[in-house]
Amino acid sequence: MTVLASGSKGNSTVIASSRTRVLVDAGLSCRELLRRMAVAGEDPARLDAILVTHEHQDHIAGLAVLARRLKIPVFFTEPTHRAWVRMLTPRTTMTYAKWLDHVQREKEARATAIAASTPTCIQTAGLAAQLAAQSEAIASVSAEAAALNRSDDSNITLELPVDPDEEELCSPEPAEQKAEQKADPTHLPAVEYFHAGTRFSIGDIDITPFTIPHDAADPCGFVFEAEGIRMALATDLGYMPPNVKAALKRIDVLLLESNHDLEMLRDGPYPWSVKQRVLSRVGHLSNDATAEFLEKDYDGGASWIVLGHLSESNNAPELARLSAEQALGNQPTLLGNRIVLAGQSVPLDPITL
């Protein structure tokens, strides 16, 4: 496990066996991800796939450019992929009256096209199905648009690929292919779907995704298993439900969220609405919640515990570490666990078993 970045400004981790390498999330720009991989001794050309936990910007900022640059598939759940596509698809602002007129013209045009090319018995059912699908899509976009571009910190500047030269600097593709990709920012070399609770494999790494409580379309944590070693990643969750506790059994390396200190968050600079979100059951784990899990539900199996997604505004590394160490210290049999902290600005040294 090599944590390239962990926090509100961007998240990305390499999970590797001797034969397979998977990048979990791509929450920094393509150039920054490549730079950090070089610093950590990771060869981007050896990556086999990108795996996405959820669609918030601090987890997918460099996703499309990096996937195109490396020509590797991206694994999503289908709802996460749809949410990501909607987030990147350009939208036109118009009045409600214009929108109704636009929808009506589209319906009439489709009806005319279908009538000209389809037998009458098929025409009615096909048109009805198309119109129903369009209505559902419009309703879905309206309901979810406000929640798509989330990060954990409303005040931070994300490491986003907003530079118009980002694609040129990070991609060796011909000019005409770049033009096509800019016209469709959601273009990916390949997309693969997985389902929470259903095990699948990338190369020789077996992956079990599990549902986590977070305010995204279909967020997941993961357990990775290869060569008799099990690693797990569980961040961006508002609390520890039974399914997550069950998933984090018999783990050798555990990356676990320890996002905020409760007092620092309550007294800190965030607007109250953001504080409520972070504290909610679809927000983020506090140091106290992480410590409670380690003390009461953790089975002690991990050689390494990596505390991740620490808030730069509402936490301090020494507080997160102390909280976890005290929780483990209450159980002498767990004192062999080594605790390290993943940071935002530099990669963590690779953890190899």
Side-chain angles (χ1 to χ4, degrees):
M1 177 185 288
T2 304
V3 183
L4 302 176
S6 185
S8 299
K9 295 179 183 176
N11 298 270
S12 190
T13 300
V14 178
I15 301 291
S17 68
S18 58
R19 290 173 37 208
T20 305
R21 277 178 151 68
V22 176
L23 186 71
V24 184
D25 290 334
L28 302 173
S29 69
C30 173
R31 278 177 290 171
E32 182 62 13
L33 286 167
L34 294 178
R35 186 189 73 79
R36 294 202 186 193
M37 279 188 263
V39 169
E42 290 286 347
D43 181 2
R46 296 184 63 194
L47 286 177
D48 296 285
I50 302 174
L51 185 60
V52 178
T53 60
H54 63 291
E55 76 280 6
H56 289 170
Q57 195 68 265
D58 55 324
H59 293 260
I60 51 83
L63 173 64
V65 178
L66 184 68
R68 293 194 290 259
R69 169 71 173 83
L70 301 178
K71 298 183 175 64
I72 56 177
V74 181
F75 286 71
F76 303 85
T77 68
E78 187 173 358
T80 295
H81 182 227
R82 288 202 309 265
W84 177 75
V85 169
R86 285 195 296 272
M87 185 171 67
L88 293 188
T89 302
R91 293 182 177 84
T92 302
T93 301
M94 64 178 70
T95 66
Y96 183 62
K98 277 191 174 181
W99 176 78
L100 288 176
D101 184 55
H102 172 73
V103 170
Q104 184 60 35
R105 287 200 306 272
E106 283 192 339
K107 288 179 182 178
E108 292 170 356
R110 272 196 299 275
T112 300
I114 293 172
S117 60
T118 309
T120 303
C121 60
I122 300 175
Q123 171 187 332
T124 303
L127 178 58
Q130 288 189 32
L131 295 182
Q134 181 194 41
S135 299
E136 181 180 349
I138 291 169
S140 177
V141 168
S142 301
E144 297 179 38
L148 291 178
N149 196 29
R150 282 198 190 280
S151 173
D152 309 314
D153 184 340
S154 62
N155 300 312
I156 56 94
T157 301
L158 292 173
E159 181 80 37
L160 302 181
V162 295
D163 185 341
D165 296 326
E166 166 77 4
E167 185 95 22
E168 281 73 11
L169 290 170
C170 206
S171 174
E173 299 300 333
E176 60 273 15
Q177 188 166 341
K178 290 178 186 176
E180 286 181 18
Q181 292 166 355
K182 285 187 174 181
D184 179 11
T186 66
H187 170 75
L188 294 170
V191 172
E192 299 283 349
Y193 288 148
F194 63 85
H195 302 277
T198 302
R199 188 172 177 174
F200 67 100
S201 297
I202 300 175
D204 67 336
I205 300 179
D206 292 329
I207 304 169
T208 304
F210 52 89
T211 296
I212 57 175
H214 194 55
D215 54 354
D218 188 19
C220 290
F222 300 103
V223 173
F224 305 91
E225 185 169 2
E227 302 168 4
I229 301 297
R230 287 164 55 85
M231 298 184 175
L233 186 154
T235 66
D236 298 75
L237 58 164
Y239 71 106
M240 294 291 287
N243 74 301
V244 175
K245 293 176 182 178
L248 302 183
K249 301 290 186 184
R250 299 180 294 105
I251 301 299
D252 297 294
V253 180
L254 172 59
L255 172 53
L256 181 64
E257 180 170 53
S258 190
N259 178 257
H260 57 276
D261 174 79
L262 289 170
E263 290 186 10
M264 287 184 68
L265 176 64
R266 286 167 180 152
D267 297 338
Y270 283 9
W272 178 237
S273 59
V274 178
K275 293 179 182 181
Q276 286 179 307
R277 174 187 172 248
V278 172
L279 289 167
S280 75
R281 287 170 69 83
V282 290
H284 293 275
L285 282 186
S286 67
N287 295 342
D288 290 352
T290 300
E292 181 180 4
F293 164 74
L294 293 175
E295 184 173 355
K296 295 181 179 179
D297 298 291
Y298 170 56
D299 66 1
S303 300
W304 295 87
I305 296 174
V306 183
L307 301 179
H309 219 307
L310 275 67
S311 170
E312 293 183 310
S313 300
N314 303 300
N315 208 350
E318 57 271 20
L319 291 177
R321 182 191 295 275
L322 179 62
S323 181
E325 287 178 343
Q326 287 178 339
L328 296 177
N330 291 332
Q331 301 184 59
T333 58
L334 304 184
L335 292 178
N337 291 175
R338 284 169 283 188
I339 298 175
V340 293
L341 276 66
Q344 183 70 86
S345 58
V346 294
L348 190 65
D349 289 340
I351 296 173
T352 305
L353 295 181

